Amino acid sequence: GQQLNQSPQSMFIQEGEDVSMNCTSSSIFNTWLWYKQEPGEGPVLLIALYKAGELTSNGRLTAQFGITRKDSFLNISASIPSDVGIYFCAGQKTSYDKVIFGPGTSLSVIP
Amino acid sequence: NAGVTQTPKFQVLKTGQSMTLQCAQDMNHEYMSWYRQDPGMGLRLIHYSVGAGITDQGEVPNGYNVSRSTTEDFPLRLLSAAPSQTSVYFCASSYSGGMNTEAFFGQGTRLTVV
């Protein structure tokens, strides 16, 4: 079936460092979503991307919709302790198709 | 607004027992769905609904039933719990026009089947 791969699986970084993570698929998607999950909570939407090549920012977070439509990238600048959590990418082929989630990237920030 | 409310937050069941996980949303969303989250596997879709009276299967529907009698509620039923159903369950809802695009998630139900 369809599958999304996320890398890295986990990251341990120093506060203030920039973070980069990516999500790849063997299938083409028309929507890419990035969610963050904090311990004991449900995922919360960070950024939604709807067009190939699109670059969208949300504060210190920037996400890009890959040109091939088979990948997406998330960058976090100047990380802070509250950035800790699991970051999920999700893809959707059409508006009425199911959303597929990646396995997540776990981020730890060392103060 | 309460958003998406799931109950209970924690539950322990014995193998073979049945139970219903409740999910309610107060945002008048048409689309609702249930996911299970297991370590290293992300979120897997169990069942979803595009509106009251309409439900369909997701990726991992076996062992679960759903119904959607109202827009607000989307309960998930385990008819005979198995240890393989030990997981964290999330309910999500979203605006019309897309299945769980930009979904709002509940806080989750942590289920252990012994």
Side-chain angles (χ1 to χ4, degrees):
Chain A
Q2 298 173 32
Q3 201 169 3
L4 292 181
N5 299 306
Q6 284 188 249
S7 65
Q9 190 173 8
S10 61
M11 303 179 75
F12 293 84
I13 62 166
Q14 207 74 33
E15 182 177 358
E17 288 184 351
D18 295 343
V19 173
S20 292
M21 61 186 77
N22 66 64
C23 184
T24 59
S25 169
S26 56
S27 302
I28 289 174
F29 289 103
N30 286 318
T31 299
W32 285 96
L33 307 163
W34 285 93
Y35 284 87
K36 178 189 177 186
Q37 184 180 29
E38 297 184 3
E41 302 290 330
V44 174
L45 182 69
L46 299 173
I47 294 176
L49 302 160
Y50 300 104
K51 188 177 176 184
E54 180 181 355
L55 193 70
T56 299
S57 293
N58 178 5
R60 294 178 295 106
L61 277 64
T62 302
Q64 184 163 23
F65 192 137
I67 291 293
T68 66
R69 295 178 179 260
K70 293 184 178 181
D71 54 14
S72 180
F73 310 90
L74 177 69
N75 295 312
I76 305 172
S77 62
S79 58
I80 60 179
S82 62
D83 290 334
V84 166
I86 302 176
Y87 290 79
F88 290 102
C89 66
Q92 188 180 38
K93 287 190 171 182
T94 71
S95 294
Y96 295 92
D97 205 352
K98 61 185 178 183
V99 174
I100 304 296
F101 280 82
T105 291
S106 176
L107 177 64
S108 300
V109 179
I110 304 164
Chain B
N1 281 342
V4 180
T5 303
Q6 287 183 239
T7 56
K9 195 154 187 175
F10 300 95
Q11 183 71 48
V12 178
L13 288 178
K14 292 183 178 178
T15 298
Q17 283 186 316
S18 62
M19 80 158 295
T20 300
L21 279 62
Q22 302 291 345
C23 176
Q25 53 92 7
D26 60 0
M27 299 173 280
N28 202 31
H29 286 170
E30 290 187 11
Y31 292 82
M32 297 186 73
S33 58
W34 279 100
Y35 290 87
R36 60 177 288 173
Q37 183 176 25
D38 302 293
M41 300 191 73
L43 292 148
R44 291 183 293 169
L45 183 64
I46 304 172
H47 285 284
Y48 65 97
S49 168
V50 300
I54 306 169
T55 64
D56 207 345
Q57 296 181 349
E59 302 170 79
V60 288
N62 292 341
Y64 309 94
N65 283 345
V66 292
S67 60
R68 185 94 179 272
S69 56
T70 67
T71 299
E72 294 77 20
D73 300 297
F74 190 43
L76 177 72
R77 297 185 187 88
L78 284 72
L79 297 178
S80 179
S84 60
Q85 294 178 305
T86 293
S87 187
V88 181
Y89 291 85
F90 287 100
C91 177
S93 73
S94 60
Y95 293 108
S96 62
M99 203 179 85
N100 280 334
T101 305
E102 303 189 34
F104 294 83
F105 283 82
Q107 287 196 309
T109 295
R110 187 174 294 275
L111 175 68
T112 302
V113 182
V114 298

